[in-house]
PDB file of all heavy atoms in Angstrom:
ATOM      1  N   GLU B 252    -115.775-138.604-118.141  1.00 98.00           N
ATOM      2  CA  GLU B 252    -116.906-139.158-118.818  1.00 98.00           C
ATOM      3  C   GLU B 252    -116.516-140.397-119.615  1.00 98.00           C
ATOM      4  O   GLU B 252    -117.279-141.384-119.617  1.00 98.00           O
ATOM      5  CB  GLU B 252    -117.458-138.089-119.785  1.00 98.00           C
ATOM      6  CG  GLU B 252    -117.930-136.849-119.109  1.00 98.00           C
ATOM      7  CD  GLU B 252    -118.280-135.738-120.105  1.00 98.00           C
ATOM      8  OE1 GLU B 252    -118.366-136.067-121.341  1.00 98.00           O
ATOM      9  OE2 GLU B 252    -118.483-134.588-119.659  1.00 98.00           O
ATOM     10  N   ILE B 253    -115.281-140.432-120.248  1.00 98.00           N
ATOM     11  CA  ILE B 253    -114.876-141.579-120.976  1.00 98.00           C
ATOM     12  C   ILE B 253    -114.647-142.757-119.990  1.00 98.00           C
ATOM     13  O   ILE B 253    -115.042-143.885-120.259  1.00 98.00           O
ATOM     14  CB  ILE B 253    -113.555-141.285-121.702  1.00 98.00           C
ATOM     15  CG1 ILE B 253    -113.828-140.354-122.867  1.00 98.00           C
ATOM     16  CG2 ILE B 253    -112.898-142.577-122.240  1.00 98.00           C
ATOM     17  CD1 ILE B 253    -112.593-139.708-123.457  1.00 98.00           C
ATOM     18  N   GLY B 254    -114.067-142.462-118.788  1.00 98.00           N
ATOM     19  CA  GLY B 254    -113.878-143.566-117.816  1.00 98.00           C
ATOM     20  C   GLY B 254    -115.174-144.127-117.340  1.00 98.00           C
ATOM     21  O   GLY B 254    -115.305-145.346-117.199  1.00 98.00           O
ATOM     22  N   ALA B 255    -116.186-143.270-117.089  1.00 98.00           N
ATOM     23  CA  ALA B 255    -117.464-143.672-116.650  1.00 98.00           C
ATOM     24  C   ALA B 255    -118.161-144.611-117.692  1.00 98.00           C
ATOM     25  O   ALA B 255    -118.866-145.550-117.379  1.00 98.00           O
ATOM     26  CB  ALA B 255    -118.350-142.547-116.238  1.00 98.00           C
ATOM     27  N   GLU B 256    -118.037-144.200-118.953  1.00 98.00           N
ATOM     28  CA  GLU B 256    -118.735-144.991-120.003  1.00 98.00           C
ATOM     29  C   GLU B 256    -117.984-146.170-120.491  1.00 98.00           C
ATOM     30  O   GLU B 256    -118.624-147.177-120.777  1.00 98.00           O
ATOM     31  CB  GLU B 256    -118.934-144.034-121.164  1.00 98.00           C
ATOM     32  CG  GLU B 256    -119.769-144.661-122.322  1.00 98.00           C
ATOM     33  CD  GLU B 256    -120.130-143.697-123.436  1.00 98.00           C
ATOM     34  OE1 GLU B 256    -119.821-142.524-123.289  1.00 98.00           O
ATOM     35  OE2 GLU B 256    -120.701-144.194-124.479  1.00 98.00           O
ATOM     36  N   HIS B 257    -116.671-146.067-120.551  1.00 98.00           N
ATOM     37  CA  HIS B 257    -115.922-147.168-121.201  1.00 98.00           C
ATOM     38  C   HIS B 257    -114.917-147.946-120.249  1.00 98.00           C
ATOM     39  O   HIS B 257    -114.441-149.000-120.601  1.00 98.00           O
ATOM     40  CB  HIS B 257    -115.113-146.626-122.367  1.00 98.00           C
ATOM     41  CG  HIS B 257    -115.937-146.060-123.458  1.00 98.00           C
ATOM     42  ND1 HIS B 257    -116.621-146.783-124.363  1.00 98.00           N
ATOM     43  CD2 HIS B 257    -116.193-144.717-123.786  1.00 98.00           C
ATOM     44  CE1 HIS B 257    -117.260-146.008-125.233  1.00 98.00           C
ATOM     45  NE2 HIS B 257    -117.001-144.750-124.911  1.00 98.00           N
ATOM     46  N   GLY B 258    -114.650-147.387-119.133  1.00 98.00           N
ATOM     47  CA  GLY B 258    -113.684-147.984-118.238  1.00 98.00           C
ATOM     48  C   GLY B 258    -114.273-149.118-117.417  1.00 98.00           C
ATOM     49  O   GLY B 258    -115.477-149.426-117.556  1.00 98.00           O
ATOM     50  N   PRO B 259    -113.439-149.761-116.586  1.00 98.00           N
ATOM     51  CA  PRO B 259    -112.034-149.476-116.353  1.00 98.00           C
ATOM     52  C   PRO B 259    -111.138-150.036-117.516  1.00 98.00           C
ATOM     53  O   PRO B 259    -111.638-150.841-118.262  1.00 98.00           O
ATOM     54  CB  PRO B 259    -111.739-150.221-115.051  1.00 98.00           C
ATOM     55  CG  PRO B 259    -112.676-151.363-115.013  1.00 98.00           C
ATOM     56  CD  PRO B 259    -113.958-150.819-115.718  1.00 98.00           C
ATOM     57  N   PHE B 260    -109.961-149.576-117.591  1.00 98.00           N
ATOM     58  CA  PHE B 260    -108.985-149.990-118.592  1.00 98.00           C
ATOM     59  C   PHE B 260    -107.825-150.743-117.984  1.00 98.00           C
ATOM     60  O   PHE B 260    -107.347-150.373-116.938  1.00 98.00           O
ATOM     61  CB  PHE B 260    -108.506-148.759-119.340  1.00 98.00           C
ATOM     62  CG  PHE B 260    -109.484-148.063-120.197  1.00 98.00           C
ATOM     63  CD1 PHE B 260    -110.154-146.944-119.623  1.00 98.00           C
ATOM     64  CD2 PHE B 260    -109.936-148.534-121.398  1.00 98.00           C
ATOM     65  CE1 PHE B 260    -111.171-146.314-120.381  1.00 98.00           C
ATOM     66  CE2 PHE B 260    -110.885-147.798-122.173  1.00 98.00           C
ATOM     67  CZ  PHE B 260    -111.565-146.715-121.593  1.00 98.00           C
ATOM     68  N   ASP B 261    -107.424-151.783-118.679  1.00 98.00           N
ATOM     69  CA  ASP B 261    -106.235-152.561-118.178  1.00 98.00           C
ATOM     70  C   ASP B 261    -104.939-151.698-118.435  1.00 98.00           C
ATOM     71  O   ASP B 261    -103.997-151.842-117.613  1.00 98.00           O
ATOM     72  CB  ASP B 261    -106.102-153.826-118.990  1.00 98.00           C
ATOM     73  CG  ASP B 261    -107.349-154.751-118.763  1.00 98.00           C
ATOM     74  OD1 ASP B 261    -107.367-155.465-117.752  1.00 98.00           O
ATOM     75  OD2 ASP B 261    -108.253-154.715-119.606  1.00 98.00           O
ATOM     76  N   ALA B 262    -104.917-150.899-119.433  1.00 98.00           N
ATOM     77  CA  ALA B 262    -103.760-150.019-119.676  1.00 98.00           C
ATOM     78  C   ALA B 262    -104.188-148.726-120.410  1.00 98.00           C
ATOM     79  O   ALA B 262    -105.214-148.718-121.094  1.00 98.00           O
ATOM     80  CB  ALA B 262    -102.776-150.834-120.583  1.00 98.00           C
ATOM     81  N   THR B 263    -103.422-147.748-120.197  1.00 99.00           N
ATOM     82  CA  THR B 263    -103.625-146.460-120.874  1.00 99.00           C
ATOM     83  C   THR B 263    -102.318-146.058-121.616  1.00 99.00           C
ATOM     84  O   THR B 263    -101.242-146.285-121.093  1.00 99.00           O
ATOM     85  CB  THR B 263    -104.031-145.315-119.946  1.00 99.00           C
ATOM     86  OG1 THR B 263    -102.942-145.026-119.028  1.00 99.00           O
ATOM     87  CG2 THR B 263    -105.326-145.655-119.189  1.00 99.00           C
ATOM     88  N   LEU B 264    -102.466-145.481-122.791  1.00 99.00           N
ATOM     89  CA  LEU B 264    -101.364-144.906-123.555  1.00 99.00           C
ATOM     90  C   LEU B 264    -101.591-143.394-123.480  1.00 99.00           C
ATOM     91  O   LEU B 264    -102.557-142.903-124.143  1.00 99.00           O
ATOM     92  CB  LEU B 264    -101.366-145.441-125.001  1.00 99.00           C
ATOM     93  CG  LEU B 264    -101.334-146.956-125.146  1.00 99.00           C
ATOM     94  CD1 LEU B 264    -101.655-147.320-126.585  1.00 99.00           C
ATOM     95  CD2 LEU B 264    -100.023-147.527-124.689  1.00 99.00           C
ATOM     96  N   VAL B 265    -100.703-142.693-122.778  1.00 98.00           N
ATOM     97  CA  VAL B 265    -101.045-141.323-122.402  1.00 98.00           C
ATOM     98  C   VAL B 265     -99.941-140.408-122.934  1.00 98.00           C
ATOM     99  O   VAL B 265     -98.725-140.576-122.719  1.00 98.00           O
ATOM    100  CB  VAL B 265    -101.138-141.104-120.847  1.00 98.00           C
ATOM    101  CG1 VAL B 265    -101.392-139.711-120.510  1.00 98.00           C
ATOM    102  CG2 VAL B 265    -102.208-142.045-120.314  1.00 98.00           C
ATOM    103  N   GLN B 266    -100.398-139.328-123.674  1.00 98.00           N
ATOM    104  CA  GLN B 266     -99.507-138.313-124.151  1.00 98.00           C
ATOM    105  C   GLN B 266     -98.896-137.489-122.998  1.00 98.00           C
ATOM    106  O   GLN B 266     -99.622-136.972-122.200  1.00 98.00           O
ATOM    107  CB  GLN B 266    -100.200-137.354-125.116  1.00 98.00           C
ATOM    108  CG  GLN B 266     -99.501-136.122-125.498  1.00 98.00           C
ATOM    109  CD  GLN B 266    -100.003-134.868-124.826  1.00 98.00           C
ATOM    110  OE1 GLN B 266    -101.101-134.492-124.935  1.00 98.00           O
ATOM    111  NE2 GLN B 266     -99.037-134.145-124.133  1.00 98.00           N
ATOM    112  N   ILE B 267     -97.520-137.455-122.959  1.00 98.00           N
ATOM    113  CA  ILE B 267     -96.870-136.709-121.838  1.00 98.00           C
ATOM    114  C   ILE B 267     -95.861-135.661-122.362  1.00 98.00           C
ATOM    115  O   ILE B 267     -95.282-134.950-121.512  1.00 98.00           O
ATOM    116  CB  ILE B 267     -96.194-137.598-120.831  1.00 98.00           C
ATOM    117  CG1 ILE B 267     -94.993-138.356-121.471  1.00 98.00           C
ATOM    118  CG2 ILE B 267     -97.180-138.619-120.205  1.00 98.00           C
ATOM    119  CD1 ILE B 267     -94.066-138.913-120.495  1.00 98.00           C
ATOM    120  N   GLY B 268     -95.584-135.599-123.604  1.00 97.00           N
ATOM    121  CA  GLY B 268     -94.551-134.692-124.113  1.00 97.00           C
ATOM    122  C   GLY B 268     -95.074-133.638-124.951  1.00 97.00           C
ATOM    123  O   GLY B 268     -96.237-133.614-125.378  1.00 97.00           O
ATOM    124  N   ALA B 269     -94.179-132.721-125.322  1.00 96.00           N
ATOM    125  CA  ALA B 269     -94.449-131.493-126.189  1.00 96.00           C
ATOM    126  C   ALA B 269     -95.387-130.524-125.549  1.00 96.00           C
ATOM    127  O   ALA B 269     -96.264-129.999-126.208  1.00 96.00           O
ATOM    128  CB  ALA B 269     -94.936-131.991-127.593  1.00 96.00           C
ATOM    129  N   TYR B 270     -95.241-130.299-124.274  1.00 97.00           N
ATOM    130  CA  TYR B 270     -96.123-129.345-123.489  1.00 97.00           C
ATOM    131  C   TYR B 270     -95.458-128.065-123.385  1.00 97.00           C
ATOM    132  O   TYR B 270     -94.236-127.941-123.461  1.00 97.00           O
ATOM    133  CB  TYR B 270     -96.501-129.927-122.133  1.00 97.00           C
ATOM    134  CG  TYR B 270     -95.327-130.473-121.387  1.00 97.00           C
ATOM    135  CD1 TYR B 270     -94.420-129.704-120.628  1.00 97.00           C
ATOM    136  CD2 TYR B 270     -95.050-131.884-121.461  1.00 97.00           C
ATOM    137  CE1 TYR B 270     -93.336-130.208-120.009  1.00 97.00           C
ATOM    138  CE2 TYR B 270     -93.904-132.391-120.777  1.00 97.00           C
ATOM    139  CZ  TYR B 270     -93.080-131.581-120.074  1.00 97.00           C
ATOM    140  OH  TYR B 270     -92.014-132.098-119.435  1.00 97.00           O
ATOM    141  N   ASN B 271     -96.248-127.003-123.180  1.00 94.00           N
ATOM    142  CA  ASN B 271     -95.735-125.635-122.978  1.00 94.00           C
ATOM    143  C   ASN B 271     -96.953-124.825-122.438  1.00 94.00           C
ATOM    144  O   ASN B 271     -98.062-124.991-122.825  1.00 94.00           O
ATOM    145  CB  ASN B 271     -95.216-125.055-124.297  1.00 94.00           C
ATOM    146  CG  ASN B 271     -94.550-123.753-124.159  1.00 94.00           C
ATOM    147  OD1 ASN B 271     -95.225-122.692-123.929  1.00 94.00           O
ATOM    148  ND2 ASN B 271     -93.247-123.701-124.304  1.00 94.00           N
ATOM    149  N   ASN B 272     -96.665-123.857-121.568  1.00 91.00           N
ATOM    150  CA  ASN B 272     -97.732-123.022-121.035  1.00 91.00           C
ATOM    151  C   ASN B 272     -98.459-122.300-122.162  1.00 91.00           C
ATOM    152  O   ASN B 272     -99.692-122.028-122.034  1.00 91.00           O
ATOM    153  CB  ASN B 272     -97.167-121.989-120.124  1.00 91.00           C
ATOM    154  CG  ASN B 272     -96.684-122.575-118.764  1.00 91.00           C
ATOM    155  OD1 ASN B 272     -96.921-123.733-118.485  1.00 91.00           O
ATOM    156  ND2 ASN B 272     -96.029-121.771-117.975  1.00 91.00           N
ATOM    157  N   ASN B 273     -97.845-121.997-123.273  1.00 91.00           N
ATOM    158  CA  ASN B 273     -98.478-121.256-124.342  1.00 91.00           C
ATOM    159  C   ASN B 273     -99.451-122.080-125.113  1.00 91.00           C
ATOM    160  O   ASN B 273    -100.246-121.530-125.920  1.00 91.00           O
ATOM    161  CB  ASN B 273     -97.468-120.637-125.257  1.00 91.00           C
ATOM    162  CG  ASN B 273     -96.637-119.514-124.565  1.00 91.00           C
ATOM    163  OD1 ASN B 273     -97.129-118.952-123.598  1.00 91.00           O
ATOM    164  ND2 ASN B 273     -95.421-119.309-125.002  1.00 91.00           N
ATOM    165  N   TRP B 274     -99.417-123.424-125.035  1.00 93.00           N
ATOM    166  CA  TRP B 274    -100.445-124.202-125.667  1.00 93.00           C
ATOM    167  C   TRP B 274    -100.968-125.253-124.701  1.00 93.00           C
ATOM    168  O   TRP B 274    -101.193-126.451-125.022  1.00 93.00           O
ATOM    169  CB  TRP B 274     -99.902-124.848-127.005  1.00 93.00           C
ATOM    170  CG  TRP B 274     -98.620-125.666-126.910  1.00 93.00           C
ATOM    171  CD1 TRP B 274     -98.554-126.964-126.511  1.00 93.00           C
ATOM    172  CD2 TRP B 274     -97.356-125.235-127.273  1.00 93.00           C
ATOM    173  NE1 TRP B 274     -97.255-127.403-126.594  1.00 93.00           N
ATOM    174  CE2 TRP B 274     -96.476-126.397-127.045  1.00 93.00           C
ATOM    175  CE3 TRP B 274     -96.784-124.071-127.753  1.00 93.00           C
ATOM    176  CZ2 TRP B 274     -95.110-126.310-127.364  1.00 93.00           C
ATOM    177  CZ3 TRP B 274     -95.441-124.032-128.018  1.00 93.00           C
ATOM    178  CH2 TRP B 274     -94.579-125.126-127.762  1.00 93.00           C
ATOM    179  N   ALA B 275    -101.199-124.819-123.481  1.00 93.00           N
ATOM    180  CA  ALA B 275    -101.548-125.771-122.395  1.00 93.00           C
ATOM    181  C   ALA B 275    -103.015-126.386-122.645  1.00 93.00           C
ATOM    182  O   ALA B 275    -103.282-127.426-122.080  1.00 93.00           O
ATOM    183  CB  ALA B 275    -101.596-125.063-121.061  1.00 93.00           C
ATOM    184  N   ASP B 276    -103.823-125.757-123.477  1.00 94.00           N
ATOM    185  CA  ASP B 276    -105.164-126.262-123.687  1.00 94.00           C
ATOM    186  C   ASP B 276    -105.129-127.522-124.634  1.00 94.00           C
ATOM    187  O   ASP B 276    -106.137-128.289-124.643  1.00 94.00           O
ATOM    188  CB  ASP B 276    -106.070-125.213-124.415  1.00 94.00           C
ATOM    189  CG  ASP B 276    -106.452-124.154-123.389  1.00 94.00           C
ATOM    190  OD1 ASP B 276    -106.425-124.359-122.181  1.00 94.00           O
ATOM    191  OD2 ASP B 276    -106.687-122.984-123.862  1.00 94.00           O
ATOM    192  N   ILE B 277    -104.082-127.707-125.386  1.00 95.00           N
ATOM    193  CA  ILE B 277    -104.048-128.813-126.381  1.00 95.00           C
ATOM    194  C   ILE B 277    -103.010-129.853-126.191  1.00 95.00           C
ATOM    195  O   ILE B 277    -103.040-130.834-126.964  1.00 95.00           O
ATOM    196  CB  ILE B 277    -104.036-128.198-127.816  1.00 95.00           C
ATOM    197  CG1 ILE B 277    -102.892-127.193-128.015  1.00 95.00           C
ATOM    198  CG2 ILE B 277    -105.401-127.552-128.124  1.00 95.00           C
ATOM    199  CD1 ILE B 277    -101.712-127.720-128.542  1.00 95.00           C
ATOM    200  N   HIS B 278    -102.115-129.693-125.232  1.00 97.00           N
ATOM    201  CA  HIS B 278    -101.184-130.765-124.843  1.00 97.00           C
ATOM    202  C   HIS B 278    -101.035-130.850-123.331  1.00 97.00           C
ATOM    203  O   HIS B 278    -100.902-129.861-122.683  1.00 97.00           O
ATOM    204  CB  HIS B 278     -99.768-130.526-125.480  1.00 97.00           C
ATOM    205  CG  HIS B 278     -99.537-131.019-126.800  1.00 97.00           C
ATOM    206  ND1 HIS B 278     -98.359-131.032-127.446  1.00 97.00           N
ATOM    207  CD2 HIS B 278    -100.423-131.571-127.714  1.00 97.00           C
ATOM    208  CE1 HIS B 278     -98.441-131.596-128.645  1.00 97.00           C
ATOM    209  NE2 HIS B 278     -99.724-131.897-128.848  1.00 97.00           N
ATOM    210  N   MET B 279    -101.032-132.073-122.824  1.00 97.00           N
ATOM    211  CA  MET B 279    -100.977-132.234-121.390  1.00 97.00           C
ATOM    212  C   MET B 279     -99.581-132.226-120.832  1.00 97.00           C
ATOM    213  O   MET B 279     -98.654-132.641-121.528  1.00 97.00           O
ATOM    214  CB  MET B 279    -101.618-133.583-120.987  1.00 97.00           C
ATOM    215  CG  MET B 279    -103.164-133.569-121.192  1.00 97.00           C
ATOM    216  SD  MET B 279    -103.853-135.160-120.568  1.00 97.00           S
ATOM    217  CE  MET B 279    -103.309-136.281-121.842  1.00 97.00           C
ATOM    218  N   THR B 280     -99.415-131.776-119.574  1.00 98.00           N
ATOM    219  CA  THR B 280     -98.180-132.029-118.841  1.00 98.00           C
ATOM    220  C   THR B 280     -98.135-133.429-118.384  1.00 98.00           C
ATOM    221  O   THR B 280     -99.197-134.156-118.316  1.00 98.00           O
ATOM    222  CB  THR B 280     -98.047-131.046-117.614  1.00 98.00           C
ATOM    223  OG1 THR B 280     -99.141-131.383-116.706  1.00 98.00           O
ATOM    224  CG2 THR B 280     -98.162-129.559-118.057  1.00 98.00           C
ATOM    225  N   PRO B 281     -97.002-133.932-117.913  1.00 98.00           N
ATOM    226  CA  PRO B 281     -96.998-135.327-117.358  1.00 98.00           C
ATOM    227  C   PRO B 281     -97.942-135.500-116.169  1.00 98.00           C
ATOM    228  O   PRO B 281     -98.543-136.548-116.063  1.00 98.00           O
ATOM    229  CB  PRO B 281     -95.551-135.509-116.974  1.00 98.00           C
ATOM    230  CG  PRO B 281     -94.761-134.576-117.924  1.00 98.00           C
ATOM    231  CD  PRO B 281     -95.644-133.356-118.053  1.00 98.00           C
ATOM    232  N   GLU B 282     -98.053-134.461-115.320  1.00 98.00           N
ATOM    233  CA  GLU B 282     -98.884-134.568-114.145  1.00 98.00           C
ATOM    234  C   GLU B 282    -100.358-134.601-114.599  1.00 98.00           C
ATOM    235  O   GLU B 282    -101.171-135.405-114.047  1.00 98.00           O
ATOM    236  CB  GLU B 282     -98.741-133.333-113.265  1.00 98.00           C
ATOM    237  CG  GLU B 282     -97.351-133.342-112.495  1.00 98.00           C
ATOM    238  CD  GLU B 282     -96.204-132.736-113.472  1.00 98.00           C
ATOM    239  OE1 GLU B 282     -96.535-132.263-114.547  1.00 98.00           O
ATOM    240  OE2 GLU B 282     -95.031-132.879-113.052  1.00 98.00           O
ATOM    241  N   GLU B 283    -100.761-133.919-115.639  1.00 98.00           N
ATOM    242  CA  GLU B 283    -102.055-134.000-116.135  1.00 98.00           C
ATOM    243  C   GLU B 283    -102.320-135.356-116.865  1.00 98.00           C
ATOM    244  O   GLU B 283    -103.455-135.896-116.860  1.00 98.00           O
ATOM    245  CB  GLU B 283    -102.315-132.852-117.091  1.00 98.00           C
ATOM    246  CG  GLU B 283    -102.479-131.483-116.416  1.00 98.00           C
ATOM    247  CD  GLU B 283    -102.505-130.341-117.368  1.00 98.00           C
ATOM    248  OE1 GLU B 283    -101.811-130.373-118.459  1.00 98.00           O
ATOM    249  OE2 GLU B 283    -103.165-129.345-117.144  1.00 98.00           O
ATOM    250  N   GLY B 284    -101.269-135.914-117.476  1.00 98.00           N
ATOM    251  CA  GLY B 284    -101.363-137.227-117.999  1.00 98.00           C
ATOM    252  C   GLY B 284    -101.694-138.282-116.942  1.00 98.00           C
ATOM    253  O   GLY B 284    -102.501-139.209-117.126  1.00 98.00           O
ATOM    254  N   LEU B 285    -101.076-138.146-115.777  1.00 98.00           N
ATOM    255  CA  LEU B 285    -101.306-139.004-114.671  1.00 98.00           C
ATOM    256  C   LEU B 285    -102.828-138.864-114.159  1.00 98.00           C
ATOM    257  O   LEU B 285    -103.523-139.836-113.962  1.00 98.00           O
ATOM    258  CB  LEU B 285    -100.389-138.746-113.461  1.00 98.00           C
ATOM    259  CG  LEU B 285    -100.660-139.590-112.261  1.00 98.00           C
ATOM    260  CD1 LEU B 285    -100.272-141.033-112.479  1.00 98.00           C
ATOM    261  CD2 LEU B 285     -99.934-139.030-111.004  1.00 98.00           C
TER     262      LEU B 285
END
């Protein structure tokens, strides 16, 4: 939805660290960051 309303973007700053299966709802894995 953000992409449809505000994109495209020249660059993204994407959170890729501090992930764990036990808190998967609130931190992304690197693949989800992609």
Side-chain angles (χ1 to χ4, degrees):
E252 298 171 11
I253 291 168
E256 183 174 357
H257 298 283
F260 294 96
D261 299 277
T263 64
L264 305 169
V265 180
Q266 170 253 304
I267 66 162
Y270 45 83
N271 186 287
N272 287 352
N273 292 334
W274 55 82
D276 289 335
I277 50 94
H278 272 190
M279 291 185 285
T280 66
E282 293 81 9
E283 289 171 326
L285 177 70

